[in-house]
Amino acid sequence: MKSMQKRFLLPFLFLLLIGLGFCGLILGSARFSFEEVRAALGSGGDPMIRLIVLQLRLPRVVGAMLAGCGLAVSGLLLQSATGNDLCSPNIIGVNSGAGLAVMVMLCLFPMAFAGLPLAAFAGALATTLLVLGISVSASGHQSRSTVLLAGVAVSSLFSAGISFLSQLFPDALASYSAFSVGGFSGVKPADLTLPSLIILGGVAVAWILAPQLNLLCLGDEIAASLGVRVKALRLISLILASALCAAVVTYAGLLGFVGLIVPHLARRLVGHDLRILVPVSALTGANLVVLSDLAGRTLFSPAELPAGIFLAMLGAPFFLLILYQRRGRYA
């Protein structure tokens, strides 16, 4: 893509996100006009429309935007830190760790729904630390391959734990199912306060780290010779990626494939420079998740499908396509 096209890509993605956001406020089981939504966002308008827009649809749209930003940048960080473009939060076990923590919470305290976000956050971060600890103890140092292998092993173990608990506590499975699919139907304004700070702050830190991550992508030896503290940078990137994913999980559940799809799309648009990849990935992820949530609310109205289902429908074929394109590397 020419430099002129790259220059206008960010404004285009931002304007597209604003347009999709307004569509999310207008469309739904009850459709409003642009003027009704504009009035509701101001200080006037019909009280019922104002209630629906401000308390139901606006938190949902903002939550979808934040989720897309957080998961896309999380996937980009993981792929850059591990040197594997098939890596995503669910690959290293972050989703499974959050899911297991939620399942344990539901089994021990069935009515403690207010504690589920904290359990998900703690489970995701604890899983990252566990994966890093296993990778170091297994090889004596932190490397790309050991982190991935440890993540796959931990993810499989935790998934088995979730299945085991679901058999012992079948009543908890109903509550866990909605969480495992991922969506924004129950998002409230208060749910977004802390996650928004973590996600926006994490994206900003990722952008600050972008120049060093560019060097890391050249290889550990070259990066170290250029003054990069490879182990520390990889550790910070993995923890930051997990924090971003965990913040999303606390209110949106286990959304999949965003961290895999979006970095690939962003690289096709702007190349491999993380200084531009980070903001492009954040905006592309936000657009993708908002569009998925909007499709789930409108295509089958008055019924509703969670955004996680649409993302899985997009992500699974995309993953297979990537494997097909790289079949020579893994033969």
Side-chain angles (χ1 to χ4, degrees), residues 82-84 87 91-92 131 135 143-153:
T82 62
N84 190 320
C87 192
I91 295 296
I92 69 165
V131 168
S135 66
S143 67
R144 298 175 179 180
S145 59
T146 53
V147 169
L148 276 174
L149 292 175
V152 171

Side-chain angles (χ1 to χ4, degrees), residues 169-179:
F169 300 89
D171 292 339
L173 184 60
S175 299
Y176 177 77
S177 297
F179 174 85

Side-chain angles (χ1 to χ4, degrees), residues 144 209-224 226-228 230 233 274:
R144 298 175 179 180
L209 294 175
Q212 294 187 64
L213 288 170
N214 280 335
L215 299 178
L216 185 63
C217 292
L218 298 176
D220 291 1
E221 294 183 1
I222 296 177
L226 294 174
V228 176
V230 173
L233 180 60
L274 275 92

Side-chain angles (χ1 to χ4, degrees), residues 35-53:
E35 288 299 323
E36 287 174 326
V37 170
R38 186 185 62 81
L41 292 175
S43 56
D46 183 273
M48 184 57 67
I49 295 178
R50 182 177 173 84
L51 176 66
I52 293 174
V53 170

Side-chain angles (χ1 to χ4, degrees), residues 9 76 261-271 277 280-281 284:
L9 180 61
L76 181 62
I261 297 174
V262 174
H264 282 272
L265 295 177
R267 290 189 190 97
R268 289 180 180 273
L269 292 173
V270 297
L277 265 178
V280 168
S281 295
T284 303

Side-chain angles (χ1 to χ4, degrees), residues 178-200:
F179 174 85
S180 64
V181 172
F184 305 95
S185 60
V187 175
K188 301 183 292 295
D191 297 335
L192 302 176
T193 303
L194 182 58
S196 64
L197 295 176
I198 296 174
I199 292 169
L200 295 177

